[in-house]
Amino acid sequence: GNSPSRRIRRLRRLSPEERQRETETEALIALSLGFPIDALLPAEEAILADADAAAPNDYIVVRNHILASWRADPRVPLPRARVLETVASSYDHLVAAAHGFLTREGHVNFGVSAAFPASSPADALQAPAASVLVIGAGLAGLAAARQLLRFGLRVLVLEGRARPGGRVYTSRLGGGQAAVELGGSVITGIHANPLGVLARQLGIPLHKAAGGSQGSRRGDLAGGRDRKAEKVVQCGQKRGREGGSGLASGKP
Ligand SMILES: Cc1cc2nc3c(=O)[nH]c(=O)nc-3n(C[C@H](O)[C@H](O)[C@H](O)COP(=O)(O)OP(=O)(O)OC[C@H]3O[C@@H](n4cnc5c(N)ncnc54)[C@H](O)[C@@H]3O)c2cc1C
């Protein structure tokens, strides 16, 4: 009958049970990304009309659908038009609200995929007038700069060091024959961690690391590389704590 999952999709022919299952799967994906399963984030309440905010179930189903659709293949952008094809037209306003919110807040359509246009997409913020100064070319600053560029803003990044990367730093040894990570190198959790998306967009394979400080499961890196990788991480962390890597002490 009247549940949002039954009303909303229009193109795919699914039985009510299949549709219900799909809606539940999408809700779990949204949950794993940090969204409450049956409630709005405060920032979402602010963008919805009063009536939609008071009865948010339809919006939540649409929002979860967009999140799950993009995560199915984050190498390509998910334009609003594509979402509209899969949702009944009476919910167009909810698609507009959810797609706009998720894009602006960087929950979908973010990252470094070659398929993302260098210029701002058609549904970017209208006529942005502002220029933005980003202080620091670490992960956060570079990601913010890239996203703001996609929104069509003008961006200048200022970095105090002679190199980008901040606390992510690869030290080359032996004339470049070997390398050791002196800062961030392990992705902990791939669902809510945007670095998991970046790895997929760049086609970088991920490998489970062994237990120790990074978790309790056994890893699957071949040839004892697990133990070596773990040692390097722990050594890097120790040096970081002692300030020996230069990262904790503000150098290089
Ligand atoms: C030893 C070590 C190991 C780590 N391991 C992991 C890991 O395995 N996995 C993980 O996820 N994370 C790890 N981290 C944490 C991770 O590296 C950081 O969370 C992440 O790099 C922080 O990025 P950021 O952009 O927020 O800050 P930063 O990388 O610190 O970037 C800030 C940038 O701003 C610049 N800056 C600051 N002030 C100014 C100013 N006034 N003017 C101009 N420039 C300025 C700095 O020079 C720097 O480049 C590790 C960190 C360390 C130190």
Side-chain angles (χ1 to χ4, degrees):
N2 205 30
S3 81
S5 65
R6 296 201 178 173
R7 291 199 303 269
I8 278 182
R9 307 297 150 62
R10 67 176 171 193
L11 282 192
R12 295 180 57 208
R13 280 170 204 218
L14 298 178
S15 69
E17 291 73 27
E18 286 170 323
R19 196 163 295 184
Q20 185 63 36
R21 263 203 306 279
E22 192 178 76
T23 301
E24 285 165 9
T25 304
E26 291 178 348
L28 287 176
I29 291 171
L31 185 68
S32 77
L33 297 174
F35 283 80
I37 207 151
D38 55 2
L40 300 172
L41 295 173
E44 291 178 300
E45 271 174 43
I47 54 140
L48 288 179
D50 288 349
D52 292 324
N57 280 354
D58 288 348
Y59 169 85
I60 290 172
V61 170
V62 169
R63 169 251 270 166
N64 295 350
H65 173 57
I66 295 172
L67 279 170
S69 303
W70 186 60
R71 289 279 168 159
D73 187 1
R75 291 168 305 173
V76 290
L78 177 67
R80 189 166 78 197
R82 182 110 41 82
V83 183
L84 289 172
E85 288 169 7
T86 64
V87 175
S89 53
S90 50
Y91 298 97
D92 282 2
H93 66 295
L94 296 181
V95 172
H99 189 270
F101 170 77
L102 295 172
T103 302
R104 269 195 315 280
E105 300 275 324
H107 296 292
V108 300
N109 295 341
F110 68 85
V112 292
S113 179
F116 288 178
S119 58
S120 47
D123 50 3
L125 299 177
Q126 292 303 305
S131 303
V132 180
L133 200 58
V134 174
I135 312 289
L139 264 177
L142 292 176
R146 194 175 179 106
Q147 189 76 345
L148 292 168
L149 279 174
R150 287 205 65 234
F151 292 158
L153 292 145
R154 292 193 302 162
V155 182
L156 181 66
V157 181
L158 293 182
E159 169 54 51
R161 287 174 169 142
R163 59 164 182 86
R167 278 175 278 167
V168 176
Y169 181 58
T170 308
S171 174
R172 306 269 164 201
L173 307 171
Q177 288 187 329
V180 59
E181 298 297 339
L182 296 185
S185 55
V186 177
I187 297 178
T188 308
I190 51 168
H191 294 300
N193 189 335
L195 294 175
V197 167
L198 300 195
R200 281 181 72 187
Q201 291 176 333
L202 294 169
I204 298 172
L206 297 175
H207 305 278
K208 281 184 201 158
S213 61
Q214 303 301 324
S216 56
R217 256 184 302 177
R218 287 220 56 77
D220 60 0
L221 293 183
R225 276 193 286 160
D226 250 347
R227 274 194 307 281
K228 285 185 204 156
E230 183 69 13
K231 253 190 192 160
V232 169
V233 167
Q234 285 173 357
C235 175
Q237 286 173 336
K238 190 159 168 265
R239 291 185 63 185
R241 278 195 298 275
E242 291 165 356
S245 68
L247 291 166
S249 60
K251 296 172 278 175

